[in-house]
Amino acid sequence: MNPKRPLEKEKYRNELAFWQGWLGEHGAGERALYYQKFMMNMGNVSDVSFFDGLVCLDIGCGPMGSLSWLSNAKAAIGLDPLAEEYMQFDIASHHMVYLKAPAEDVPFPTGYVDVVFSMNSLDHVDDLHGTCAEIRRVLKPGGYFLGSLNLNEPATATEPWTLTEELLAEILFQDWERE
């Protein structure tokens, strides 16, 4: 975290406190089947073989092993600025790679990712325009964005963006074919 950005530091502290509280109350349990069902439903995907050999990236993955069910993918990567802090939640046991990086600066070459997932994460980012530009940059032509987006919700300290269909159409979905 950049010490010159105290609001960002506080936001990350609040995000981490959420996960500590949630996991303290509910426990980690086996979440892979939950995520598999939810994420496949986001893209109306009925067969996990859809992901055979693909590079899959979850933006703002959190510490729950969101892509650990993707054993057939070439790579299952969770991107989160708190990935190192999530080590306290035993993420090393998950069958996926956690990468510490902000969504506004994805450390992959252009056109590297086949599938980008976003499950209630875009309203959490620091720079929505920068994040959407990075998603568009790293996603291969003909790739897939599978998202569950919280629309029209008021901004909060940890969710500083109010997402609308119009805003997302302008900065993320422009020129994309919807399936």
Side-chain angles (χ1 to χ4, degrees), residues 4-163:
K4 295 180 181 179
R5 298 186 65 181
L7 292 176
E8 180 179 287
K9 189 173 183 179
E10 181 179 343
K11 178 178 168 284
Y12 289 165
R13 194 171 32 250
N14 289 337
E15 295 276 6
L16 188 59
F18 166 81
W19 284 115
Q20 289 167 330
W22 194 94
L23 287 165
E25 182 178 337
H26 302 285
E30 178 53 48
R31 303 292 293 174
L33 291 177
Y34 166 80
Y35 279 106
Q36 178 180 353
K37 181 178 179 184
F38 194 96
M39 293 179 129
M40 287 179 63
N41 285 342
M42 286 189 324
N44 198 28
V45 176
S46 60
D47 188 344
V48 74
S49 67
F50 174 84
F51 301 102
D52 284 352
L54 300 182
V55 174
C56 300
L57 175 68
D58 184 12
I59 300 287
C61 63
M64 300 293 292
S66 60
L67 298 182
S68 61
W69 55 276
L70 277 173
S71 60
N72 60 321
K74 180 177 184 179
I77 306 159
L79 182 86
D80 201 298
L82 295 173
E84 286 180 7
E85 288 83 353
Y86 293 159
M87 290 299 290
Q88 66 185 288
F89 305 124
D90 193 31
I91 63 169
S93 68
H94 299 165
H95 299 287
M96 62 181 278
V97 173
Y98 284 83
L99 181 60
K100 178 180 179 157
E104 300 85 356
D105 189 20
V106 180
F108 294 139
T110 298
Y112 184 76
V113 178
D114 297 291
V115 180
V116 172
F117 292 94
S118 175
M119 184 174 157
N120 181 29
S121 64
L122 291 186
D123 54 338
H124 289 254
V125 302
D126 295 325
D127 176 1
L128 181 63
H129 292 78
T131 296
C132 291
E134 279 294 272
I135 290 170
R136 292 179 64 88
R137 182 186 68 76
V138 300
L139 193 61
K140 285 182 180 176
Y144 296 90
F145 175 84
L146 307 180
S148 175
L149 309 169
N150 294 4
L151 298 177
N152 303 310
E153 291 186 354
T156 68
T158 56
E159 298 168 322
W161 295 96
T162 297
L163 303 179

